[in-house]
Amino acid sequence: MGTDLNTIADSAKSLYDQGLYRAALDNYEQLFTAQVKDDELFYNMGNCYARMGELGEAKLFYERAIIYNPSNADASHNLDWVNLRITDALVEPRQELIEWVGQWGRSVTDADSWALIGWGIIGISIILLIARKTFVKSLNWRWPFTTSILALLIILVGNLSVPRMKKAIVVERNSYGYSEPSTNSKRIVLLSEGSAGTIVSTNDSWYYVELGDGRLAWFNTKEWKYVLPGLD
């Protein structure tokens, strides 16, 4: 972060330590608006919301922190604390295998590093192939083949480690689900703050959401936020 952003971050921490959580959050929001995507920033914003009793927003930012750093133990602990207090929220959407692999990849290193390692191993494979064709003809063909497969797998993990999830969380006290994208249609479900679902599609100011129990309904976009920043 630049000098100005560091000053804002220091001011936010000072305000938080004084118990001025709303003022601290306003400063953290400036960093967020400046496109800072950092697990510590999201963790601190989650703490502000938790202190103010806004558990839906707190859950959202703790999950964002974990997206960018699955090893953030403090964010995971606080997320568990929030989930224990959201007793009437629906079951969470199932984590797909691809999401699990991506989360594991991010816990090891970032996507750029995975790609760098993968392309480095491809370079080794090319060298081995050239060596086998020229001055080391006794070199077993399995070596360049194995390193090529390994490189492709590493590049694939790097690609999957780029967050793409469509999970969203209810950030208002309640959110009604409708059979159609209209308040004149039938109400089919009422969700509480902190409930989560997967966005299937959108229609103007409506999200079509698949819930953890398999039900589908239309919800007002103002009552939900994507876990992955920038999708709203």
Side-chain angles (χ1 to χ4, degrees):
M1 290 190 293
T3 303
D4 291 341
L5 296 182
N6 284 327
T7 300
I8 294 172
D10 291 341
S11 175
K13 183 179 185 304
S14 177
L15 290 166
Y16 181 88
D17 292 340
Q18 296 173 56
L20 302 173
Y21 305 121
R22 177 61 65 183
L25 184 61
D26 289 341
N27 280 16
Y28 285 132
E29 286 282 1
Q30 292 183 52
L31 300 178
F32 183 53
T33 303
Q35 300 299 309
V36 175
K37 294 181 179 178
D38 175 80
D39 66 296
E40 285 300 318
L41 170 62
F42 295 142
Y43 169 71
N44 290 331
M45 293 178 75
N47 287 343
C48 289
Y49 279 115
R51 291 287 187 176
M52 294 187 297
E54 298 180 33
L55 298 185
E57 292 278 10
K59 178 176 179 175
L60 174 75
F61 280 96
Y62 289 142
E63 292 211 11
R64 285 178 173 177
I66 294 168
I67 285 177
Y68 286 95
N69 181 9
S71 301
N72 190 323
D74 290 334
S76 296
H77 176 271
N78 287 9
L79 178 60
D80 290 341
W81 181 90
V82 167
N83 283 331
L84 285 173
R85 283 151 182 80
I86 306 177
T87 55
D88 53 350
L90 285 180
V91 62
E92 291 283 308
R94 289 187 305 168
Q95 186 180 48
E96 300 294 336
L97 176 61
I98 290 176
E99 291 181 8
W100 181 86
V101 172
Q103 183 172 343
W104 175 82
R106 291 191 297 275
S107 71
V108 176
T109 188
D110 59 84
D112 290 340
S113 297
W114 278 113
L116 186 63
I117 294 169
W119 285 109
I121 296 177
I122 284 179
I124 293 173
S125 300
I126 293 172
I127 292 172
L128 290 173
L129 283 171
I130 293 172
R132 186 171 184 271
K133 289 289 186 181
T134 55
F135 53 89
V136 192
K137 296 186 178 181
S138 60
L139 181 68
N140 195 307
W141 64 269
R142 290 186 178 88
W143 283 106
F145 176 78
T146 302
T147 53
S148 297
I149 295 299
L150 178 61
L152 292 175
L153 288 174
I154 289 174
I155 291 172
L156 177 61
V157 170
N159 184 263
L160 293 177
S161 67
V162 177
R164 296 182 180 86
M165 64 170 57
K166 294 293 185 72
K167 181 179 179 180
I169 292 175
V170 177
V171 295
E172 298 295 332
R173 293 300 179 189
N174 296 290
S175 181
Y176 279 106
Y178 296 84
S179 59
E180 302 291 338
S182 168
T183 54
N184 294 324
S185 62
K186 181 182 178 182
R187 287 180 178 177
I188 57 178
V189 65
L190 174 62
L191 300 184
S192 62
E193 180 181 22
S195 294
T198 301
I199 306 297
V200 177
S201 63
T202 62
N203 186 334
D204 293 328
S205 60
W206 294 87
Y207 288 146
Y208 193 43
V209 182
E210 181 178 4
L211 305 177
D213 59 7
R215 286 182 293 176
L216 293 159
W218 290 94
F219 295 88
N220 192 308
T221 58
K222 294 179 180 178
E223 299 162 352
W224 291 69
K225 285 185 180 179
Y226 279 100
V227 172
L228 189 61
L231 295 180
D232 296 295

